[in-house]
């Protein structure tokens, strides 16, 4: 059934935007995700400001968009194009609008965490990505403006009735009789939701009606086509309280092409089926990544800081034949690991069952990816990048940047990669010369690394533990004040797995 645009609602919304804008000197930060709701908000704000007199345009409006570094290429391309059009048109009209992309720092990028530190791909109960990739970079920008102006108003495309959880959050932060809401976590930041009372029909009717063309020359029918291909969106995230209910990272969505929170990436599949076959290598890589998370051989058997934990195993899941497992009483686990010279940070196959005092079977819980698995994933990512470059005929296309590789290289060194594998791997797979940071004082040369391995084996000492200790000493080597080294050494020696 065809819906008619509610022109009166549009008029009232623009009048309210003008009133709120003129009511104080607090700058605005408008969140733009490239989706339907944020597009409506930016367009309404743009139109409302265009209708004000020049002397009334007294404060800045910052339009920010989150680029996680792993956005679906078609989406980030659309966002970048739109931001550019908005900025050009705003400059022509003399509007105080500035467009910015916010990104995580390279040490906090998706690849730095997954390949560098070994974090497993995100899942619903361990969504480490949302805060680091989306919320923190946006909040950093907002807090920078707070420090500059004292207070800011965030203008977001949130709507009532999107979910019961979001409705509860919106109500909890709403002042009685006031338009602005308190931000749940950021001090001196307020939230304005101009389309809070819009329905989804209101959104699309406004965007697609000829009476309201894109004021910067965009094409909202292209946006509708994007939705038809991808099924949904991933909004800009700026609030940790509503990240679970914002439609982000948990439903059919477009956004990060590596998202493994969803079981099936309908967005990538939709794009491929609509003619973008060059995205197929990304889908294959993403699906493989989801599987790698579940493979015990690819994961350390201790957490990142050395903690060891046990998880219950259902007997029926073990099958009829458990003879392939070593069965060890929980009280003897430490002796078993020591006698068999098992290093939980690098061991791959570990067919071990632990039995507690009640006869329950347990397994060692899983930690980050092993260094070997991280190297395998990086190799596959670079191979995927090369395939897409060939399919697109675009040798400059990147899935991972050199700066991210340099960050990963630092993390690998800290984890004992004395062989410095990343420069060799990049040259082998990509074939380009890169200026890498030269380590004038390598921790160990190849001969010394071999000797260390031999000595650790002979003395029944963990090689990865010794590498961590050597790396700690090396990081403090040139410092006059070596304050902190003893604490780091103590932390390394106090890891759970050493004292089972």
């Amino acid at each position: 059934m065809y819906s008619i645009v509610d022109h009166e609602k549009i008029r009232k919304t623009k009048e309210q935007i003008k009133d709120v804008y003129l009511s104080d000197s607090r700058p605005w930060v408008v969140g733009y995700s490239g989706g339907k709701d944020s597009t409506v908000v930016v367009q309404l704000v743009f139109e409302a400001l265009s209708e004000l007199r020049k002397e009334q345009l007294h404060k800045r409006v910052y339009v920010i968009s989150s680029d996680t570094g792993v956005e679906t290429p078609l989406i980030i391309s659309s966002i970048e194009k739109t931001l550019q059009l908005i900025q050009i048109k705003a400059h022509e009209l003399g509007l105080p609008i500035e467009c910015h992309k916010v990104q995580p720092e390279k040490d906090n990028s998706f690849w730095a965490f997954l390949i560098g530190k070994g974090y497993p791909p995100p899942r619903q109960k361990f969504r480490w990505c949302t805060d680091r990739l989306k919320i923190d970079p946006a909040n950093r920008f907002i807090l920078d403006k707070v420090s500059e102006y004292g207070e800011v108003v965030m203008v977001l495309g949130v709507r009532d009735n999107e979910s019961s959880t979001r409705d509860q959050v919106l109500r909890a932060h709403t002042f009685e009789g006031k338009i602005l809401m308190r931000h749940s976590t950021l001090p001196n930041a307020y939230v304005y939701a101009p389309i809070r009372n819009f329905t989804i029909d209101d959104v699309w009717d406004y965007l697609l009606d000829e009476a309201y063309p894109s004021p910067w020359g965009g094409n909202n029918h292209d946006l509708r086509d994007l939705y038809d291909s991808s099924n949904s969106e991933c909004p800009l995230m700026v609030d940790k309280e509503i990240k679970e209910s914002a439609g982000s990272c948990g439903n059919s969505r477009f956004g990060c092409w590596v998202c493994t929170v969803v079981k099936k990436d309908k967005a990538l599949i939709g794009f491929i089926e609509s003619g973008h076959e060059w995205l197929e290598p990304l889908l294959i890589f993403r699906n493989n990544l989801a599987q790698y998370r579940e493979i015990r051989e690819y994961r350390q058997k201790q957490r990142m800081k050395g903690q060891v934990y046990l998880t219950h195993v259902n007997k029926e899941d073990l099958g009829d034949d458990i003879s392939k497992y070593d069965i060890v009483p929980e009280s003897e686990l430490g002796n078993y690991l020591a006698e068999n010279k098992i290093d939980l940070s690098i061991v791959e196959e570990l067919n071990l069952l632990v039995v507690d005092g009640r006869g329950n079977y347990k397994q060692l819980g899983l930690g980050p990816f092993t260094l070997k698995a991280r190297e395998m994933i990086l190799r596959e990512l670079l191979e995927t990048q090369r395939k897409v470059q060939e399919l697109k005929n675009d040798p400059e296309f990147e899935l991972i940047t050199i700066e991210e590789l340099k960050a990963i290289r630092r993390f690998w060194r800290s984890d004992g990669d004395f062989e410095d594998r990343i420069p060799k791997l990049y040259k082998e797979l990509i074939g380009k010369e890169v200026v890498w940071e030269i380590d004038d004082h390598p921790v160990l040369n190849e001969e010394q690394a071999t000797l260390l391995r031999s000595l650790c084996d002979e003395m029944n000492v963990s090689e990865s533990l010794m590498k961590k200790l050597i790396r700690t000493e090396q990081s403090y080597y040139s410092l006059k004040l070596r304050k902190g080294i003893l604490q780091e050494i103590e932390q390394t020696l106090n890891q759970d797995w050493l004292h089972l």
Side-chain angles (χ1 to χ4, degrees):
M1 182 176 175
Y2 181 75
S3 299
I4 299 174
V5 177
D6 188 339
H7 296 287
E8 183 62 14
K9 178 181 280 190
I10 299 300
R11 187 192 67 78
K12 287 182 177 180
T13 302
K14 286 201 289 185
E15 288 303 312
Q16 184 192 75
I17 290 172
K18 295 176 192 177
D19 290 341
V20 176
Y21 177 83
L22 294 172
S23 65
D24 57 50
S25 60
R26 291 177 290 192
W28 282 10
V29 178
V30 185
Y32 175 67
S33 70
K36 62 186 187 307
D37 295 328
S38 64
T39 300
V40 168
V41 168
V42 177
Q43 186 164 322
L44 285 169
V45 169
F46 197 106
E47 290 177 357
L49 295 185
S50 300
E51 294 171 8
L52 292 175
R53 300 188 305 275
K54 296 298 181 184
E55 61 270 20
Q56 292 178 298
L57 300 173
H58 66 295
K59 63 185 183 183
R60 309 302 297 175
V61 173
Y62 302 96
V63 177
I64 67 169
S65 184
S66 176
D67 180 3
T68 63
V70 282
E71 304 290 327
T72 301
L74 288 174
I75 303 303
I76 196 62
S77 176
S78 173
I79 290 173
E80 289 174 344
K81 179 181 177 182
T82 300
L83 291 178
Q84 186 178 26
L85 289 173
I86 293 172
Q87 191 65 79
I88 291 172
K89 194 64 178 178
H91 180 72
E92 287 179 4
L93 298 177
L95 301 180
I97 293 176
E98 292 183 16
C99 296
H100 297 267
K101 277 201 312 179
V102 294
Q103 298 175 300
E105 296 173 351
K106 298 308 177 185
D107 282 5
N108 289 327
S109 74
F110 181 84
W111 300 123
F113 271 86
L114 187 133
I115 298 176
K117 296 183 177 181
Y119 273 54
R123 61 196 320 159
Q124 191 64 40
K125 292 184 178 179
F126 185 42
R127 285 169 44 186
W128 54 263
C129 52
T130 308
D131 287 0
R132 293 175 175 87
L133 304 186
K134 297 179 79 70
I135 295 177
D136 291 346
N139 286 355
R140 193 165 58 245
F141 182 92
I142 294 163
L143 288 174
D144 178 61
K145 298 307 170 189
V146 168
S147 66
E148 184 177 352
Y149 295 101
E151 292 183 338
V152 299
V153 175
M154 297 162 52
V155 186
L156 303 178
V158 292
R159 293 184 289 110
D160 287 330
N161 303 317
E162 286 189 88
S163 75
S164 59
T165 306
R166 173 176 281 192
D167 284 351
Q168 290 174 6
V169 174
L170 289 175
R171 284 195 297 269
H173 296 285
T174 299
F175 293 104
E176 186 69 30
K178 301 290 185 179
I179 294 175
L180 300 185
M181 296 171 280
R182 297 185 303 268
H183 192 279
S184 63
T185 56
L186 295 179
N188 298 329
Y190 296 84
V191 176
Y192 171 40
I195 64 167
R196 184 171 175 175
N197 67 338
F198 275 41
T199 66
I200 192 168
D201 284 341
D202 290 332
V203 167
W204 282 120
D205 289 346
Y206 168 72
L207 288 175
L208 301 179
D209 193 279
E210 293 181 359
Y212 304 103
S214 170
W216 49 80
N219 188 335
N220 290 332
H221 289 276
D222 288 344
L223 177 63
R224 184 59 195 240
D225 291 342
L226 202 60
Y227 270 81
D228 289 341
S229 297
S230 68
N231 302 298
S232 193
E233 66 178 301
C234 182
L236 181 85
M237 300 294 293
V238 294
D239 194 324
K240 297 184 181 184
E241 281 197 23
I242 64 172
K243 73 175 182 179
E244 301 296 333
S245 62
S248 167
C249 309
N251 300 306
S252 168
R253 58 192 287 281
F254 65 65
C256 300
W257 66 271
V258 290
C259 182
T260 51
V261 176
V262 292
K263 291 183 179 179
K264 189 176 182 182
D265 194 322
K266 296 179 182 178
L268 270 180
I269 293 171
F271 286 137
I272 293 167
E273 290 177 347
S274 64
H276 300 282
E277 291 90 352
W278 59 271
L279 290 171
E280 192 164 355
L282 273 65
L283 180 63
I284 294 171
F285 179 91
R286 177 263 172 207
N287 290 342
N288 288 344
L289 204 56
Q291 294 178 1
Y292 296 157
R293 179 177 60 197
E294 310 304 326
I295 299 176
R296 293 185 60 85
E297 288 79 5
Y298 292 170
R299 305 276 295 277
Q300 295 182 22
K301 311 307 182 290
Q302 63 184 46
R303 288 191 167 126
M304 207 158 281
K305 294 185 178 180
Q307 301 99 323
V308 173
Y309 67 103
L310 297 170
T311 59
H312 284 279
V313 180
N314 295 322
K315 291 183 180 180
E316 54 268 24
D317 294 337
L318 298 173
D320 297 329
D321 182 19
I322 63 170
S323 60
K324 65 178 181 178
Y325 295 98
D326 286 345
I327 301 176
V328 178
E330 190 169 343
S331 59
E332 293 297 316
L333 178 58
N335 292 334
Y336 173 86
L337 296 175
E339 290 171 3
N340 290 277
K341 301 180 180 180
I342 295 173
D343 185 336
L344 298 181
S345 68
I346 59 174
V347 65
E348 295 177 4
E349 293 189 26
L350 186 60
N351 294 324
L352 171 67
L353 289 176
V354 178
V355 183
D356 66 16
R358 298 181 178 181
N360 298 313
Y361 286 130
K362 297 180 179 179
Q363 281 183 312
L364 285 164
L366 300 179
F369 283 125
T370 64
L371 195 55
K372 183 177 179 180
R374 285 177 253 170
E375 181 179 355
M376 175 200 71
I377 294 170
L378 177 58
R379 177 179 290 275
E380 187 171 334
L381 177 63
L382 291 175
E383 288 173 344
T384 300
Q385 176 174 295
R386 189 177 59 189
K387 289 177 184 176
V388 176
Q389 288 174 345
E390 294 171 356
L391 289 171
K392 283 175 60 68
N393 193 26
D394 180 4
E396 302 304 317
F397 178 85
E398 286 185 332
L399 293 175
I400 184 170
T401 67
I402 296 298
E403 292 305 313
E404 288 175 300
L405 286 167
K406 289 179 178 179
I408 291 169
R409 184 180 178 222
R410 291 193 297 273
F411 290 131
W412 281 19
R413 283 180 169 183
S414 296
D415 280 353
D417 177 26
F418 293 174
E419 293 84 0
D420 198 14
R421 286 174 264 192
I422 286 182
K424 302 170 190 174
L425 193 61
Y426 188 82
K427 181 69 187 315
E428 173 193 342
L429 294 173
I430 303 300
K432 290 183 179 180
E433 294 291 343
V434 172
V435 179
W436 301 96
E437 179 185 340
I438 298 175
D439 190 349
D440 294 327
H441 300 284
V443 180
L444 297 175
N445 59 34
E446 188 173 340
E447 182 180 346
Q448 290 169 330
T450 302
L451 178 60
L452 175 66
R453 191 172 299 113
S454 176
L455 287 171
C456 287
D457 186 59
E458 180 183 335
M459 304 299 293
N460 193 20
V461 175
S462 164
E463 181 185 350
S464 65
L465 173 66
M466 290 306 302
K467 284 183 173 181
K468 281 183 179 292
L469 292 171
I470 292 170
R471 189 68 189 176
T472 298
E473 164 61 30
Q474 194 263 353
S475 67
Y476 283 88
Y477 177 76
S478 60
L479 300 179
K480 290 183 179 180
L481 294 176
R482 290 158 59 87
K483 183 179 179 181
I485 185 172
L486 292 180
Q487 183 179 0
E488 285 197 34
I489 291 174
E490 185 177 3
Q491 288 176 348
T492 301
L493 294 176
N494 282 334
Q495 294 179 88
D496 286 357
W497 69 278
L498 293 170
H499 305 283
L500 288 172

